[in-house]
Amino acid sequence: MSKTVTVDRDKCYMSGECYYNHPELFRMDEDGYPVVLVGKIEDAALEQHAREAAEVCPAAAIRLS
Amino acid sequence: MAEALPDLGPNLDPRVFDSEAFQRDPFPVYKQLRDHHPVFHDRFHNRWILSRYWDVDAAFQDNGSFDRAMYKPDGPYDFGSRHVFGPNILEYGNSDEHRRLRNIVAGQFVGQKLNDFLPMIDRISQEVIERFIDDGEVEIVSQFSSQVPIRVISNMLGLPREDEDTFVGWYQDLIAGLGFGGEYLARGLKARNDMWDYIDPMIAERRTNPGEDLLSRICTAELAGGRMSVEEVKGFVALLLAAGGDTTDKAIANMWYHMMYTRPDQFADVRDEPALWENVFTEMMRYDPVVHAQFRYTTREVAMHGEVIPERAGVILYLGAGNRDERAFKDPDVFDIHRDDLHMGRENRSGRYKDGKNGHLGFGIGQHFCMGYAMARQESAIACTMLARGLKNVRPKFAEHDGIIAPSIDSGGFRAPRELWLEFDR
Ligand code: HEM
Ligand code: SF4
């Protein structure tokens, strides 16, 4: 089953934790918000990155579903 | 406040970087760099220099081009010197190993974990103040700022209180060794070894029988099933003394210096509203931060401003210069705690803020952004608030002061006043 990562921009305050720790999944846009690089996550290692990012996000702005 | 900086014109003799005048007041040279040489090839020291706000920001962000570890053509990294701290986070460059080590411990210095330690910071500040409260005068650097952060770290680690003074002694020797080198360095390394011998059995004990203290948490923190080795824990503790202790020590001294000498008028505001100590912290970290320079190596050719920095070149990022860039801040040479163009609250690793303002560069940015950013801010604000509250009618003891100085800006030397004498009513 593939999964999707979404970022809630209203909650996100650009701490950067997601894109500096998981460059395989996020990058920073011009304004400092994360851009999700992979639409559908099929790969187990990537899913692990997504789960860690969601856990660690200080704004609870990342969702994996 | 600030006079207009002298215009030095385009001619820049790189030997100026070694001068005492530069260690004292680097800002005219920084302006010369920003105005005339945004990419400066310093052939005398065999390095390149970036000084504009957005260029320093971009280099910090660009992991693909700028690495903190020495780049080696035949292997990923030539690890930085470990002779002082042992294996530690500073030497792993931009690698995955760096991310692993950082993430094992980073969570200990933010959020609720940090909040748990705040009452203790209050208590320690108060204890240190009580030692001189009846004297009517105090030399802040030796009697206060160099005392509080190290005692805070000792208590965070959960070391027995009766050993605290010994721990402070090791700290002072280690820091003197890093700052002055030579025979001081030998003493500093001995202090580090004594500390390691002292802490070794504690690590063993807390690995099997952990408590709530930082040492236990570092020993047992896991990331993807991995823990820090004993050597890594020891390296981290030694690093903590310099990166977390000495820096905050200097931050507190600088904040008081600016309130006593640069903006005594704004000290009145801070007395009325102690929450403004956080603004003092932020503006200090912009105007004349504790650390002015960080070093990087290029891992590929970088073209900027019509120059090409070759691969494997050493590059200095002058945060201290970027912070004074008129492209990012208006009237950059004025110290003002009410500045409306500086993000005043807590820093972000991205250097980007919802209020749309620019942040100071004093903690770096990006992958190596200071791990202790939240702790440094809270601790400095608490210690300053307690001191301002404790000392009645506090004022400078001497009308003149010879200012802030660094042992060596370019090798990351921390900036602070050498001494700062205050008087107060008994
Ligand atoms: C006002 C006080 C402080 C200042 C001015 C400061 C400054 C800095 C700077 C400029 C960097 C970036 C280094 C780079 O880009 O290569 C840094 C990194 C670091 N700081 Fe701080 N710091 C302070 C307080 C602290 C505290 C309290 C801690 C304790 C946890 C700490 C731990 C670290 C660590 C471990 C790193 C390396 C992070 C990494 O490489 O990922 N610092 N600091
Ligand atoms: S970790 Fe959370 S708050 Fe930080 S940049 Fe990513 S989404 Fe935003």
Side-chain angles (χ1 to χ4, degrees), chain B residues 119-163:
Chain B
M120 180 267 289
I121 300 179
D122 253 68
R123 198 184 71 230
I124 302 272
S125 305
Q126 194 53 44
E127 283 174 16
V128 172
I129 291 168
E130 271 156 25
R131 296 178 173 201
F132 52 75
I133 191 72
D134 294 327
D135 296 350
E137 63 173 30
V138 57
E139 197 284 289
I140 293 272
V141 175
S142 56
Q143 291 179 264
F144 187 70
S145 72
S146 64
Q147 297 287 329
V148 174
I150 184 61
R151 289 174 194 276
V152 165
I153 290 175
S154 170
N155 279 271
M156 283 176 87
L157 290 169
L159 307 186
R161 291 225 66 184
E162 62 269 24
D163 298 335

mmCIF file of all heavy atoms in Angstrom, chain B residues 119-163:
data_model
loop_
_atom_site.group_PDB
_atom_site.id
_atom_site.type_symbol
_atom_site.label_atom_id
_atom_site.label_comp_id
_atom_site.label_asym_id
_atom_site.label_seq_id
_atom_site.Cartn_x
_atom_site.Cartn_y
_atom_site.Cartn_z
ATOM 1 N N PRO B 119 13.872 25.648 36.041
ATOM 2 C CA PRO B 119 13.907 26.058 37.453
ATOM 3 C C PRO B 119 15.304 25.925 38.053
ATOM 4 O O PRO B 119 15.715 26.740 38.878
ATOM 5 C CB PRO B 119 12.930 25.071 38.124
ATOM 6 C CG PRO B 119 12.061 24.565 37.037
ATOM 7 C CD PRO B 119 12.893 24.585 35.793
ATOM 8 N N MET B 120 16.042 24.937 37.585
ATOM 9 C CA MET B 120 17.401 24.744 38.085
ATOM 10 C C MET B 120 18.297 25.926 37.651
ATOM 11 O O MET B 120 19.149 26.384 38.416
ATOM 12 C CB MET B 120 17.920 23.407 37.554
ATOM 13 C CG MET B 120 19.314 23.045 37.966
ATOM 14 S SD MET B 120 20.515 23.578 36.761
ATOM 15 C CE MET B 120 20.169 22.444 35.405
ATOM 16 N N ILE B 121 18.082 26.443 36.439
ATOM 17 C CA ILE B 121 18.885 27.587 35.977
ATOM 18 C C ILE B 121 18.621 28.804 36.878
ATOM 19 O O ILE B 121 19.549 29.522 37.273
ATOM 20 C CB ILE B 121 18.579 27.918 34.496
ATOM 21 C CG1 ILE B 121 18.891 26.710 33.619
ATOM 22 C CG2 ILE B 121 19.374 29.139 34.043
ATOM 23 C CD1 ILE B 121 18.612 26.902 32.136
ATOM 24 N N ASP B 122 17.366 29.003 37.224
ATOM 25 C CA ASP B 122 16.991 30.038 38.188
ATOM 26 C C ASP B 122 17.777 29.898 39.484
ATOM 27 O O ASP B 122 18.362 30.849 40.002
ATOM 28 C CB ASP B 122 15.509 29.822 38.572
ATOM 29 C CG ASP B 122 14.606 30.855 37.971
ATOM 30 O OD1 ASP B 122 14.465 30.844 36.736
ATOM 31 O OD2 ASP B 122 14.082 31.662 38.748
ATOM 32 N N ARG B 123 17.744 28.682 40.009
ATOM 33 C CA ARG B 123 18.346 28.417 41.312
ATOM 34 C C ARG B 123 19.858 28.660 41.282
ATOM 35 O O ARG B 123 20.421 29.302 42.157
ATOM 36 C CB ARG B 123 18.047 26.968 41.719
ATOM 37 C CG ARG B 123 18.231 26.693 43.197
ATOM 38 C CD ARG B 123 18.018 25.224 43.496
ATOM 39 N NE ARG B 123 19.118 24.417 42.984
ATOM 40 C CZ ARG B 123 18.974 23.328 42.237
ATOM 41 N NH1 ARG B 123 17.775 22.900 41.902
ATOM 42 N NH2 ARG B 123 20.020 22.660 41.811
ATOM 43 N N ILE B 124 20.507 28.137 40.224
ATOM 44 C CA ILE B 124 21.959 28.290 40.128
ATOM 45 C C ILE B 124 22.326 29.773 40.015
ATOM 46 O O ILE B 124 23.256 30.247 40.670
ATOM 47 C CB ILE B 124 22.501 27.545 38.885
ATOM 48 C CG1 ILE B 124 22.133 26.078 38.939
ATOM 49 C CG2 ILE B 124 23.987 27.776 38.719
ATOM 50 C CD1 ILE B 124 23.078 25.191 39.649
ATOM 51 N N SER B 125 21.595 30.517 39.189
ATOM 52 C CA SER B 125 21.892 31.948 39.043
ATOM 53 C C SER B 125 21.815 32.616 40.406
ATOM 54 O O SER B 125 22.684 33.409 40.783
ATOM 55 C CB SER B 125 20.891 32.623 38.097
ATOM 56 O OG SER B 125 20.849 31.971 36.862
ATOM 57 N N GLN B 126 20.761 32.304 41.143
ATOM 58 C CA GLN B 126 20.564 32.907 42.451
ATOM 59 C C GLN B 126 21.721 32.581 43.396
ATOM 60 O O GLN B 126 22.262 33.450 44.073
ATOM 61 C CB GLN B 126 19.229 32.404 43.030
ATOM 62 C CG GLN B 126 18.724 33.194 44.212
ATOM 63 C CD GLN B 126 18.648 34.693 43.894
ATOM 64 O OE1 GLN B 126 18.190 35.081 42.817
ATOM 65 N NE2 GLN B 126 19.135 35.524 44.804
ATOM 66 N N GLU B 127 22.144 31.324 43.390
ATOM 67 C CA GLU B 127 23.253 30.914 44.260
ATOM 68 C C GLU B 127 24.530 31.676 43.932
ATOM 69 O O GLU B 127 25.261 32.100 44.824
ATOM 70 C CB GLU B 127 23.545 29.420 44.075
ATOM 71 C CG GLU B 127 22.560 28.510 44.777
ATOM 72 C CD GLU B 127 22.838 27.041 44.429
ATOM 73 O OE1 GLU B 127 23.937 26.708 43.918
ATOM 74 O OE2 GLU B 127 21.934 26.233 44.667
ATOM 75 N N VAL B 128 24.788 31.836 42.637
ATOM 76 C CA VAL B 128 26.024 32.522 42.244
ATOM 77 C C VAL B 128 25.952 33.994 42.653
ATOM 78 O O VAL B 128 26.936 34.568 43.141
ATOM 79 C CB VAL B 128 26.273 32.365 40.726
ATOM 80 C CG1 VAL B 128 27.446 33.229 40.277
ATOM 81 C CG2 VAL B 128 26.538 30.905 40.372
ATOM 82 N N ILE B 129 24.774 34.604 42.495
ATOM 83 C CA ILE B 129 24.604 36.016 42.864
ATOM 84 C C ILE B 129 24.818 36.211 44.366
ATOM 85 O O ILE B 129 25.432 37.189 44.802
ATOM 86 C CB ILE B 129 23.201 36.509 42.443
ATOM 87 C CG1 ILE B 129 23.103 36.569 40.916
ATOM 88 C CG2 ILE B 129 22.900 37.888 43.040
ATOM 89 C CD1 ILE B 129 21.699 36.757 40.377
ATOM 90 N N GLU B 130 24.343 35.260 45.143
ATOM 91 C CA GLU B 130 24.471 35.400 46.599
ATOM 92 C C GLU B 130 25.924 35.489 47.063
ATOM 93 O O GLU B 130 26.228 36.065 48.096
ATOM 94 C CB GLU B 130 23.742 34.259 47.317
ATOM 95 C CG GLU B 130 22.282 34.627 47.575
ATOM 96 C CD GLU B 130 21.389 33.410 47.741
ATOM 97 O OE1 GLU B 130 21.909 32.339 48.131
ATOM 98 O OE2 GLU B 130 20.167 33.540 47.478
ATOM 99 N N ARG B 131 26.820 34.958 46.260
ATOM 100 C CA ARG B 131 28.231 35.000 46.658
ATOM 101 C C ARG B 131 28.794 36.412 46.675
ATOM 102 O O ARG B 131 29.783 36.674 47.344
ATOM 103 C CB ARG B 131 29.082 34.171 45.688
ATOM 104 C CG ARG B 131 28.747 32.720 45.722
ATOM 105 C CD ARG B 131 29.603 32.008 44.690
ATOM 106 N NE ARG B 131 29.405 30.567 44.810
ATOM 107 C CZ ARG B 131 30.263 29.662 44.365
ATOM 108 N NH1 ARG B 131 31.366 30.050 43.762
ATOM 109 N NH2 ARG B 131 30.019 28.385 44.505
ATOM 110 N N PHE B 132 28.229 37.328 45.875
ATOM 111 C CA PHE B 132 28.807 38.682 45.838
ATOM 112 C C PHE B 132 27.799 39.779 46.151
ATOM 113 O O PHE B 132 28.108 40.957 46.074
ATOM 114 C CB PHE B 132 29.489 38.951 44.483
ATOM 115 C CG PHE B 132 28.625 38.675 43.276
ATOM 116 C CD1 PHE B 132 27.605 39.554 42.905
ATOM 117 C CD2 PHE B 132 28.838 37.541 42.491
ATOM 118 C CE1 PHE B 132 26.812 39.306 41.792
ATOM 119 C CE2 PHE B 132 28.037 37.283 41.371
ATOM 120 C CZ PHE B 132 27.026 38.169 41.028
ATOM 121 N N ILE B 133 26.587 39.380 46.535
ATOM 122 C CA ILE B 133 25.519 40.365 46.697
ATOM 123 C C ILE B 133 25.835 41.404 47.772
ATOM 124 O O ILE B 133 25.343 42.528 47.722
ATOM 125 C CB ILE B 133 24.171 39.640 46.996
ATOM 126 C CG1 ILE B 133 22.985 40.613 46.910
ATOM 127 C CG2 ILE B 133 24.199 38.957 48.340
ATOM 128 C CD1 ILE B 133 22.648 41.036 45.531
ATOM 129 N N ASP B 134 26.696 41.057 48.739
ATOM 130 C CA ASP B 134 27.002 42.013 49.804
ATOM 131 C C ASP B 134 28.228 42.872 49.504
ATOM 132 O O ASP B 134 28.632 43.688 50.324
ATOM 133 C CB ASP B 134 27.230 41.261 51.132
ATOM 134 C CG ASP B 134 25.955 40.583 51.608
ATOM 135 O OD1 ASP B 134 24.865 41.145 51.354
ATOM 136 O OD2 ASP B 134 26.041 39.492 52.210
ATOM 137 N N ASP B 135 28.817 42.684 48.321
ATOM 138 C CA ASP B 135 30.094 43.358 48.037
ATOM 139 C C ASP B 135 29.944 44.773 47.482
ATOM 140 O O ASP B 135 30.898 45.547 47.512
ATOM 141 C CB ASP B 135 30.920 42.543 47.031
ATOM 142 C CG ASP B 135 31.315 41.188 47.597
ATOM 143 O OD1 ASP B 135 31.112 40.975 48.815
ATOM 144 O OD2 ASP B 135 31.805 40.342 46.823
ATOM 145 N N GLY B 136 28.800 45.082 46.900
ATOM 146 C CA GLY B 136 28.640 46.408 46.307
ATOM 147 C C GLY B 136 29.296 46.548 44.949
ATOM 148 O O GLY B 136 29.138 47.550 44.259
ATOM 149 N N GLU B 137 30.062 45.562 44.527
ATOM 150 C CA GLU B 137 30.642 45.565 43.176
ATOM 151 C C GLU B 137 30.900 44.128 42.739
ATOM 152 O O GLU B 137 30.994 43.218 43.576
ATOM 153 C CB GLU B 137 31.946 46.371 43.144
ATOM 154 C CG GLU B 137 33.043 45.793 44.026
ATOM 155 C CD GLU B 137 34.376 46.512 43.850
ATOM 156 O OE1 GLU B 137 34.352 47.713 43.540
ATOM 157 O OE2 GLU B 137 35.409 45.851 44.000
ATOM 158 N N VAL B 138 30.979 43.934 41.423
ATOM 159 C CA VAL B 138 31.223 42.594 40.909
ATOM 160 C C VAL B 138 31.892 42.688 39.538
ATOM 161 O O VAL B 138 31.604 43.594 38.754
ATOM 162 C CB VAL B 138 29.900 41.788 40.796
ATOM 163 C CG1 VAL B 138 28.886 42.497 39.909
ATOM 164 C CG2 VAL B 138 30.151 40.375 40.292
ATOM 165 N N GLU B 139 32.820 41.760 39.289
ATOM 166 C CA GLU B 139 33.392 41.642 37.949
ATOM 167 C C GLU B 139 32.639 40.492 37.286
ATOM 168 O O GLU B 139 32.842 39.321 37.586
ATOM 169 C CB GLU B 139 34.901 41.372 38.025
ATOM 170 C CG GLU B 139 35.617 41.651 36.712
ATOM 171 C CD GLU B 139 35.387 40.580 35.676
ATOM 172 O OE1 GLU B 139 35.912 39.477 35.845
ATOM 173 O OE2 GLU B 139 34.645 40.842 34.687
ATOM 174 N N ILE B 140 31.750 40.870 36.371
ATOM 175 C CA ILE B 140 30.801 39.925 35.785
ATOM 176 C C ILE B 140 31.442 38.695 35.145
ATOM 177 O O ILE B 140 30.962 37.578 35.288
ATOM 178 C CB ILE B 140 30.000 40.631 34.668
ATOM 179 C CG1 ILE B 140 29.096 41.695 35.241
ATOM 180 C CG2 ILE B 140 29.216 39.653 33.877
ATOM 181 C CD1 ILE B 140 27.774 41.161 35.625
ATOM 182 N N VAL B 141 32.529 38.905 34.418
ATOM 183 C CA VAL B 141 33.089 37.802 33.631
ATOM 184 C C VAL B 141 33.586 36.675 34.544
ATOM 185 O O VAL B 141 33.228 35.516 34.363
ATOM 186 C CB VAL B 141 34.216 38.302 32.708
ATOM 187 C CG1 VAL B 141 34.872 37.134 31.974
ATOM 188 C CG2 VAL B 141 33.670 39.325 31.716
ATOM 189 N N SER B 142 34.396 37.027 35.544
ATOM 190 C CA SER B 142 34.942 35.956 36.384
ATOM 191 C C SER B 142 33.955 35.496 37.455
ATOM 192 O O SER B 142 33.964 34.337 37.834
ATOM 193 C CB SER B 142 36.246 36.416 37.044
ATOM 194 O OG SER B 142 36.014 37.610 37.785
ATOM 195 N N GLN B 143 33.083 36.410 37.922
ATOM 196 C CA GLN B 143 32.248 36.047 39.071
ATOM 197 C C GLN B 143 30.837 35.601 38.702
ATOM 198 O O GLN B 143 30.147 35.022 39.516
ATOM 199 C CB GLN B 143 32.163 37.225 40.048
ATOM 200 C CG GLN B 143 33.473 37.512 40.747
ATOM 201 C CD GLN B 143 33.322 38.709 41.683
ATOM 202 O OE1 GLN B 143 33.650 39.837 41.309
ATOM 203 N NE2 GLN B 143 32.820 38.488 42.874
ATOM 204 N N PHE B 144 30.413 35.900 37.496
ATOM 205 C CA PHE B 144 29.040 35.520 37.151
ATOM 206 C C PHE B 144 28.937 34.737 35.838
ATOM 207 O O PHE B 144 28.564 33.569 35.838
ATOM 208 C CB PHE B 144 28.136 36.762 37.093
ATOM 209 C CG PHE B 144 26.682 36.431 36.899
ATOM 210 C CD1 PHE B 144 25.946 35.836 37.918
ATOM 211 C CD2 PHE B 144 26.041 36.703 35.689
ATOM 212 C CE1 PHE B 144 24.604 35.518 37.744
ATOM 213 C CE2 PHE B 144 24.697 36.381 35.513
ATOM 214 C CZ PHE B 144 23.982 35.797 36.545
ATOM 215 N N SER B 145 29.306 35.385 34.724
ATOM 216 C CA SER B 145 29.017 34.730 33.438
ATOM 217 C C SER B 145 29.815 33.443 33.254
ATOM 218 O O SER B 145 29.331 32.483 32.649
ATOM 219 C CB SER B 145 29.230 35.694 32.269
ATOM 220 O OG SER B 145 30.596 35.939 32.054
ATOM 221 N N SER B 146 31.038 33.386 33.787
ATOM 222 C CA SER B 146 31.803 32.147 33.615
ATOM 223 C C SER B 146 31.428 31.117 34.680
ATOM 224 O O SER B 146 31.979 30.020 34.709
ATOM 225 C CB SER B 146 33.307 32.436 33.680
ATOM 226 O OG SER B 146 33.640 32.926 34.960
ATOM 227 N N GLN B 147 30.513 31.468 35.567
ATOM 228 C CA GLN B 147 30.112 30.545 36.629
ATOM 229 C C GLN B 147 28.786 29.851 36.327
ATOM 230 O O GLN B 147 28.630 28.659 36.581
ATOM 231 C CB GLN B 147 29.965 31.316 37.948
ATOM 232 C CG GLN B 147 31.253 31.938 38.447
ATOM 233 C CD GLN B 147 32.210 30.894 38.983
ATOM 234 O OE1 GLN B 147 31.798 29.879 39.507
ATOM 235 N NE2 GLN B 147 33.498 31.145 38.811
ATOM 236 N N VAL B 148 27.831 30.607 35.809
ATOM 237 C CA VAL B 148 26.468 30.067 35.706
ATOM 238 C C VAL B 148 26.338 28.929 34.683
ATOM 239 O O VAL B 148 25.931 27.820 35.044
ATOM 240 C CB VAL B 148 25.442 31.198 35.439
ATOM 241 C CG1 VAL B 148 24.055 30.614 35.186
ATOM 242 C CG2 VAL B 148 25.401 32.160 36.621
ATOM 243 N N PRO B 149 26.696 29.153 33.392
ATOM 244 C CA PRO B 149 26.437 28.079 32.413
ATOM 245 C C PRO B 149 27.120 26.760 32.753
ATOM 246 O O PRO B 149 26.531 25.696 32.572
ATOM 247 C CB PRO B 149 26.967 28.660 31.108
ATOM 248 C CG PRO B 149 26.897 30.133 31.290
ATOM 249 C CD PRO B 149 27.198 30.371 32.738
ATOM 250 N N ILE B 150 28.331 26.814 33.277
ATOM 251 C CA ILE B 150 29.033 25.563 33.551
ATOM 252 C C ILE B 150 28.400 24.831 34.731
ATOM 253 O O ILE B 150 28.300 23.606 34.744
ATOM 254 C CB ILE B 150 30.550 25.817 33.771
ATOM 255 C CG1 ILE B 150 31.283 24.499 33.949
ATOM 256 C CG2 ILE B 150 30.817 26.721 34.962
ATOM 257 C CD1 ILE B 150 31.176 23.585 32.771
ATOM 258 N N ARG B 151 27.926 25.593 35.720
ATOM 259 C CA ARG B 151 27.223 24.950 36.840
ATOM 260 C C ARG B 151 25.889 24.377 36.378
ATOM 261 O O ARG B 151 25.439 23.332 36.860
ATOM 262 C CB ARG B 151 27.032 25.944 37.989
ATOM 263 C CG ARG B 151 28.348 26.266 38.678
ATOM 264 C CD ARG B 151 28.261 27.341 39.734
ATOM 265 N NE ARG B 151 29.622 27.767 40.069
ATOM 266 C CZ ARG B 151 30.399 27.125 40.948
ATOM 267 N NH1 ARG B 151 29.941 26.088 41.615
ATOM 268 N NH2 ARG B 151 31.640 27.531 41.148
ATOM 269 N N VAL B 152 25.264 25.061 35.437
ATOM 270 C CA VAL B 152 24.022 24.542 34.866
ATOM 271 C C VAL B 152 24.286 23.211 34.158
ATOM 272 O O VAL B 152 23.569 22.225 34.354
ATOM 273 C CB VAL B 152 23.397 25.571 33.889
ATOM 274 C CG1 VAL B 152 22.321 24.921 33.027
ATOM 275 C CG2 VAL B 152 22.816 26.750 34.676
ATOM 276 N N ILE B 153 25.346 23.153 33.361
ATOM 277 C CA ILE B 153 25.655 21.907 32.649
ATOM 278 C C ILE B 153 25.964 20.783 33.641
ATOM 279 O O ILE B 153 25.496 19.657 33.494
ATOM 280 C CB ILE B 153 26.831 22.121 31.669
ATOM 281 C CG1 ILE B 153 26.369 23.008 30.509
ATOM 282 C CG2 ILE B 153 27.351 20.787 31.141
ATOM 283 C CD1 ILE B 153 27.475 23.395 29.546
ATOM 284 N N SER B 154 26.742 21.108 34.666
ATOM 285 C CA SER B 154 27.085 20.107 35.669
ATOM 286 C C SER B 154 25.817 19.522 36.300
ATOM 287 O O SER B 154 25.697 18.306 36.483
ATOM 288 C CB SER B 154 27.990 20.749 36.727
ATOM 289 O OG SER B 154 28.167 19.894 37.813
ATOM 290 N N ASN B 155 24.869 20.383 36.600
ATOM 291 C CA ASN B 155 23.609 19.918 37.198
ATOM 292 C C ASN B 155 22.728 19.191 36.195
ATOM 293 O O ASN B 155 22.033 18.239 36.542
ATOM 294 C CB ASN B 155 22.856 21.086 37.821
ATOM 295 C CG ASN B 155 23.404 21.431 39.191
ATOM 296 O OD1 ASN B 155 22.974 20.890 40.196
ATOM 297 N ND2 ASN B 155 24.417 22.289 39.237
ATOM 298 N N MET B 156 22.735 19.665 34.935
ATOM 299 C CA MET B 156 21.976 18.937 33.919
ATOM 300 C C MET B 156 22.486 17.512 33.783
ATOM 301 O O MET B 156 21.716 16.570 33.661
ATOM 302 C CB MET B 156 22.114 19.627 32.558
ATOM 303 C CG MET B 156 21.277 20.878 32.390
ATOM 304 S SD MET B 156 21.619 21.669 30.792
ATOM 305 C CE MET B 156 20.470 20.795 29.729
ATOM 306 N N LEU B 157 23.818 17.393 33.796
ATOM 307 C CA LEU B 157 24.415 16.064 33.645
ATOM 308 C C LEU B 157 24.135 15.193 34.862
ATOM 309 O O LEU B 157 24.303 13.973 34.812
ATOM 310 C CB LEU B 157 25.932 16.177 33.436
ATOM 311 C CG LEU B 157 26.390 16.752 32.095
ATOM 312 C CD1 LEU B 157 27.884 17.047 32.125
ATOM 313 C CD2 LEU B 157 26.066 15.790 30.952
ATOM 314 N N GLY B 158 23.747 15.834 35.942
ATOM 315 C CA GLY B 158 23.463 15.076 37.153
ATOM 316 C C GLY B 158 24.730 14.705 37.909
ATOM 317 O O GLY B 158 24.799 13.658 38.546
ATOM 318 N N LEU B 159 25.772 15.545 37.841
ATOM 319 C CA LEU B 159 26.978 15.287 38.625
ATOM 320 C C LEU B 159 26.692 15.676 40.078
ATOM 321 O O LEU B 159 25.917 16.594 40.331
ATOM 322 C CB LEU B 159 28.151 16.115 38.081
ATOM 323 C CG LEU B 159 28.424 15.974 36.587
ATOM 324 C CD1 LEU B 159 29.698 16.721 36.211
ATOM 325 C CD2 LEU B 159 28.539 14.504 36.181
ATOM 326 N N PRO B 160 27.331 14.995 41.015
ATOM 327 C CA PRO B 160 27.102 15.327 42.426
ATOM 328 C C PRO B 160 27.476 16.783 42.699
ATOM 329 O O PRO B 160 28.487 17.271 42.197
ATOM 330 C CB PRO B 160 28.056 14.383 43.165
ATOM 331 C CG PRO B 160 28.398 13.300 42.203
ATOM 332 C CD PRO B 160 28.276 13.886 40.833
ATOM 333 N N ARG B 161 26.685 17.452 43.512
ATOM 334 C CA ARG B 161 26.918 18.876 43.733
ATOM 335 C C ARG B 161 28.252 19.154 44.408
ATOM 336 O O ARG B 161 28.864 20.203 44.191
ATOM 337 C CB ARG B 161 25.766 19.478 44.529
ATOM 338 C CG ARG B 161 24.488 19.520 43.715
ATOM 339 C CD ARG B 161 23.755 20.828 43.814
ATOM 340 N NE ARG B 161 24.462 21.956 43.226
ATOM 341 C CZ ARG B 161 23.999 23.214 43.286
ATOM 342 N NH1 ARG B 161 22.885 23.466 43.903
ATOM 343 N NH2 ARG B 161 24.677 24.197 42.738
ATOM 344 N N GLU B 162 28.711 18.206 45.212
ATOM 345 C CA GLU B 162 29.981 18.469 45.894
ATOM 346 C C GLU B 162 31.163 18.462 44.899
ATOM 347 O O GLU B 162 32.241 18.927 45.217
ATOM 348 C CB GLU B 162 30.222 17.494 47.058
ATOM 349 C CG GLU B 162 30.329 16.036 46.685
ATOM 350 C CD GLU B 162 28.970 15.317 46.729
ATOM 351 O OE1 GLU B 162 27.934 16.018 46.602
ATOM 352 O OE2 GLU B 162 28.947 14.083 46.858
ATOM 353 N N ASP B 163 30.943 17.949 43.699
ATOM 354 C CA ASP B 163 32.018 17.936 42.706
ATOM 355 C C ASP B 163 31.955 19.136 41.762
ATOM 356 O O ASP B 163 32.783 19.277 40.859
ATOM 357 C CB ASP B 163 31.946 16.653 41.860
ATOM 358 C CG ASP B 163 32.128 15.407 42.710
ATOM 359 O OD1 ASP B 163 32.756 15.518 43.786
ATOM 360 O OD2 ASP B 163 31.628 14.344 42.307
#
